[in-house]
Amino acid sequence: MDDEPHSIPIEDTLDLHPFLPSEVRDVAVEYLHAARERGFRQVQLIHGRGIGVQRERIRAALEKLDFVESFYDAEPSGGGWGATVVVFK
């Protein structure tokens, strides 16, 4: 297994499916910091529908970030409850 860090493009959407479940929270938080620094006002995290475990982990992390204004489920065409839209302050 490759232990080298990988660069993720900082765009308005991050698909978390390629990451191990144990990495998702940390990857998402690092991405949110980078996206905010690059001037994004809003981004989308795609965590998948499943049974909602990753969704709840992501949202618990979002509640602790002081630069997050709000977050909500994406529109049905954008993933519905399988994706979370994050709005920065």
Side-chain angles (χ1 to χ4, degrees):
M1 192 176 289
D2 186 7
D3 288 338
E4 291 296 313
H6 295 281
S7 170
I8 3 181
I10 305 302
E11 301 170 341
D12 65 349
T13 302
L14 175 62
D15 185 350
L16 295 164
H17 285 99
F19 301 97
L20 295 172
S22 61
E23 299 173 326
V24 167
R25 182 194 169 282
D26 291 339
V27 167
V29 169
E30 286 183 37
Y31 162 79
L32 292 168
H33 281 282
R36 182 172 171 258
E37 287 174 8
R38 285 181 174 73
F40 285 93
R41 172 82 172 108
Q42 174 178 300
V43 295
Q44 181 171 311
L45 300 173
I46 302 171
H47 41 68
R49 292 184 180 157
I51 59 173
V53 173
Q54 292 299 350
R55 177 181 184 261
E56 293 308 313
R57 286 181 181 159
I58 292 296
R59 290 182 173 207
L62 292 173
E63 289 176 354
K64 295 176 183 174
L65 296 174
D66 62 353
F67 60 88
V68 171
E69 182 175 300
S70 63
F71 54 89
Y72 52 89
D73 290 341
E75 295 293 324
S77 63
W81 54 276
T84 297
V85 175
V86 182
V87 179
F88 299 132
K89 291 182 180 173

